[in-house]
Amino acid sequence: MAPQLDGYFKQVDTSAGKFIERLRQAVAIPSISAEPQRRPDVVRMSKFLEEQLKSIGATVQAHPLGPQPGHPELELPPVLVARYGNDKNKRTVLVYGHYDVQPAEKSDGWNSEPFELTIDEKDRMFGRGSTDDKGPVLGWINAIQAHQEANIDFPVNLMMCFEGMEEYGSEGLEDFIHKEAKQGGVLHGADVVCISDNYWLGTEKPCLTYGLRGCNYYGVTISGPGQDLHSGVFGGSAQEPMTDLVRVLGSLVDTHGQIQIPGVMDMVAPVTDEEKDLYPGIAYSMDNLFESLGSKTSIHEDKDRTLMARWRFPSLSVHGIEGAFAGAGAKTVIPAKVTGKFSIRTVPNIESDKLDQIVFKHVKDIFAKLGSKNTLDVQLIHAGPWWVASPKHWNFEAAGKAVERVFGIKPDFTREGGSIPITITFEQATGKNVLLLPMGSSTDAAHSINEKLDRRNYIEGIKLLGAYLHYVAEEKMD
Ligand SMILES: C[C@H](N)C(=O)N[C@@H](Cc1c[nH]cn1)C(=O)O
Ligand SMILES: [Zn+2]
Ligand SMILES: [Zn+2]
């Protein structure tokens, strides 16, 4: 089956240096979507991608998405829609990825410059965006190029949709996809959808992913004094926003990860016996977790409960406080206005709007009990839905065969604790099966310091993406 794959794999190995150079150029662009001052870099990244796509003969359109909601002065970066091949006798695969990245500063604790791809003696390629999601996005381009260089017919028509706001909740993309997936739209006509933007559970066994948690992200602002104050002069006589905020934030979740907001857990679908039986068969251990954590500070003691906590239950994380003193040294300021940021990862059957109401009520109730004269405001910053699909589809079968061909092992079927807000939109707007096909591994530290992609995962991942397309071309439709 898929006889041309050996030639394709050989070509990927031959072109590996060139593909790594392409990743180096992409990582060098600090396309941080969450920081308004970096917006020109996000746009620069879209232009880089456009050039790369054109250089392999794809047709590319950059679609503007208008101003960013809540920031009328800031244009959203464009969504790139590219096409390679237009053969009526071939299947059409729609792939999605994102070219924006999480913030990163060397001073956060990186061992190397975050926007310089740095390869160590173990062939780990460090750099912001290497695994999330520039490596996988370039993977599709590299797969096309390797086919051309090896003179192998590309097996499908590839439709590519790359956005620049995923790390900020995919602002503006949902409406675009709904509109363009319709007859006559630029995203119309896909047979299946594939997203490469998550990670293996461990470091050795690939997986196919059929579920994601959602993410509702909140800000709680507490203000009081007209400006920051000297704590020696005003400490003890002014009510302090930070003192109130840490109490509010401290009320949200306990040390064991249990969300303390009344009503949240009541919305979670009960775990069935059939579901429970899935966990023991998954290749994962507490040592995998400890390796990814870089410590043994797990909440749970066993693997099944740990996986359920990641895939099956909601979690609440406190991310930071805007306006608070966070530097080195011992500044003695009383901050006048502080905004605490936290998010809840959601699962079936949590309703996003209902969750917001419960969260707002809890935060206001706790603040009211403090009896503070300060002022509180709580807002939803962005929300993305959870998604769970059936992996019993020829799209997953094609991917399973590709994994076996490249890695010589059958994949695990997993869910992901992270969120890709636009996944469910692709499913609903196209009416087609959506598969998540990860390239990176559990130790890649996406969103963290020292994010990396192993050379092996990148190069074998390019083989995997190409092989998947060959098996899609061969699969019988359901
Ligand atoms: C899994 C994916 N690579 C990812 O990192 N997604 C982000 C999406 C997000 C949601 N709100 C803000 N960003 C994530 O899971 O944090
Ligand atoms: Zn991410
Ligand atoms: Zn991502």
Side-chain angles (χ1 to χ4, degrees):
M1 298 291 252
Q4 293 117 319
L5 278 178
D6 288 336
Y8 168 65
F9 293 163
K10 207 165 156 221
Q11 184 63 50
V12 173
D13 286 328
T14 306
S15 301
K18 206 159 39 187
F19 296 156
I20 291 168
E21 181 52 32
R22 185 172 265 150
L23 182 61
R24 186 187 304 281
Q25 289 176 24
V27 165
I29 305 173
S31 50
I32 304 167
S33 49
E35 294 177 355
Q37 72 278 15
R38 289 292 195 186
R39 192 55 52 87
D41 290 312
V42 185
V43 173
R44 191 153 61 90
M45 183 63 207
S46 77
K47 297 231 185 312
F48 169 78
L49 217 45
E50 199 175 332
E51 276 163 30
Q52 299 299 308
L53 285 158
K54 284 184 175 157
S55 77
I56 48 125
T59 55
V60 196
Q61 289 172 326
H63 296 265
L65 292 176
Q68 183 169 329
H71 296 268
E73 74 294 351
L74 210 54
E75 270 306 289
L76 289 166
V79 49
L80 296 183
V81 176
R83 270 183 177 258
Y84 186 73
N86 194 13
D87 184 338
K88 284 197 177 61
N89 296 315
K90 290 180 180 174
R91 292 218 167 109
T92 298
V93 178
L94 169 57
V95 302
Y96 157 88
H98 63 93
Y99 60 81
D100 62 319
V101 297
Q102 285 279 319
E105 304 272 352
K106 174 101 192 319
S107 59
D108 294 340
W110 284 70
N111 295 328
S112 55
E113 286 298 332
F115 296 103
E116 276 174 28
L117 194 75
T118 306
I119 307 177
D120 75 357
E121 66 294 343
K122 290 182 179 161
D123 271 345
R124 297 180 297 185
M125 306 191 292
F126 292 91
R128 175 58 91 225
S130 53
T131 192
D132 183 13
D133 185 33
K134 291 180 175 177
V137 163
L138 297 183
W140 297 111
I141 299 175
N142 298 335
I144 294 173
Q145 189 173 7
H147 277 82
Q148 292 171 345
E149 288 173 341
N151 215 0
I152 296 169
D153 185 42
F154 203 67
V156 298
N157 303 314
L158 199 62
M159 207 189 271
M160 292 162 271
C161 177
F162 299 138
E163 69 151 320
M165 282 302 279
E166 196 267 354
E167 300 291 10
Y168 202 79
S170 291
E171 299 254 10
L173 191 61
E174 198 180 334
D175 291 349
F176 176 83
I177 289 170
H178 275 295
K179 181 164 157 267
E180 297 298 340
K182 291 199 177 101
Q183 182 91 35
V186 292
L187 294 173
H188 182 73
D191 293 300
V192 282
V193 182
C194 178
I195 298 176
S196 186
D197 183 24
N198 67 303
Y199 323 99
W200 298 356
L201 264 186
T203 53
E204 293 307 315
K205 196 167 184 197
C207 57
L208 308 181
T209 305
Y210 60 94
L212 292 160
R213 292 197 291 184
C215 182
N216 283 31
Y217 199 110
Y218 303 96
V220 192
T221 301
I222 300 184
S223 52
Q227 66 281 314
D228 290 359
L229 301 170
H230 187 305
S231 64
V233 180
F234 300 104
S237 53
Q239 295 211 306
E240 300 194 16
M242 269 296 272
T243 315
D244 295 345
L245 183 63
V246 292
R247 292 215 164 89
V248 170
L249 295 178
S251 75
L252 300 172
V253 63
D254 73 11
T255 318
H256 311 291
Q258 293 301 308
I259 297 175
Q260 300 296 299
I261 304 172
V264 174
M265 294 308 290
D266 300 341
M267 288 193 278
V268 177
V271 181
T272 63
D273 287 342
E274 194 188 348
E275 245 186 300
K276 275 187 203 146
D277 291 346
L278 292 174
Y279 289 91
I282 308 268
Y284 189 68
S285 69
M286 291 306 282
D287 285 336
N288 287 131
L289 176 71
F290 298 151
E291 191 182 5
S292 306
L293 293 182
S295 73
K296 291 198 167 180
T297 55
S298 62
I299 288 184
H300 307 288
E301 303 306 322
D302 68 287
K303 159 205 151 186
D304 292 7
R305 190 65 191 77
T306 296
L307 285 179
M308 283 197 192
R310 173 162 161 187
W311 299 349
R312 193 52 183 76
F313 293 117
S315 60
L316 189 153
S317 304
V318 177
H319 304 294
I321 299 179
E322 192 178 330
F325 167 57
K331 192 175 173 187
T332 55
V333 71
I334 298 173
K337 180 181 175 187
V338 281
T339 301
K341 311 273 178 80
F342 67 94
S343 71
I344 299 180
R345 297 287 171 168
T346 60
V347 295
N349 294 317
I350 292 181
E351 292 171 41
S352 180
D353 293 347
K354 201 166 156 193
L355 179 68
D356 297 343
Q357 296 318 312
I358 290 174
V359 168
F360 296 162
K361 180 175 180 324
H362 172 82
V363 166
K364 286 175 186 165
D365 287 352
I366 294 289
F367 181 69
K369 280 192 199 140
L370 299 181
S372 170
K373 290 180 183 162
N374 288 326
T375 306
L376 171 118
D377 181 39
V378 50
Q379 330 93 33
L380 174 75
I381 296 178
H382 60 247
W386 47 262
W387 167 78
V388 184
S390 168
K392 292 188 175 124
H393 190 276
W394 60 264
N395 195 23
F396 279 79
E397 270 170 37
K401 286 178 189 167
V403 167
E404 270 198 88
R405 180 76 176 257
V406 174
F407 295 97
I409 186 170
K410 280 190 197 301
D412 269 334
F413 286 76
T414 63
R415 283 163 68 165
E416 174 62 71
S419 315
I420 306 174
I422 213 64
T423 308
I424 197 163
T425 311
F426 277 113
E427 186 180 83
Q428 290 169 347
T430 63
K432 303 296 176 184
N433 180 268
V434 181
L435 153 81
L436 303 192
L437 182 56
M439 177 183 268
S441 85
S442 62
T443 52
D444 284 356
H447 292 208
S448 178
I449 57 166
N450 302 322
E451 175 181 347
K452 57 94 177 155
L453 178 62
D454 293 342
R455 185 185 195 278
R456 171 183 182 237
N457 282 65
Y458 186 47
I459 300 306
E460 301 306 300
I462 296 164
K463 294 179 189 170
L464 175 67
L465 299 183
Y468 157 70
L469 298 176
H470 279 267
Y471 286 110
V472 162
E474 287 184 357
E475 279 295 323
K476 284 203 194 79
M477 292 215 199
D478 290 338

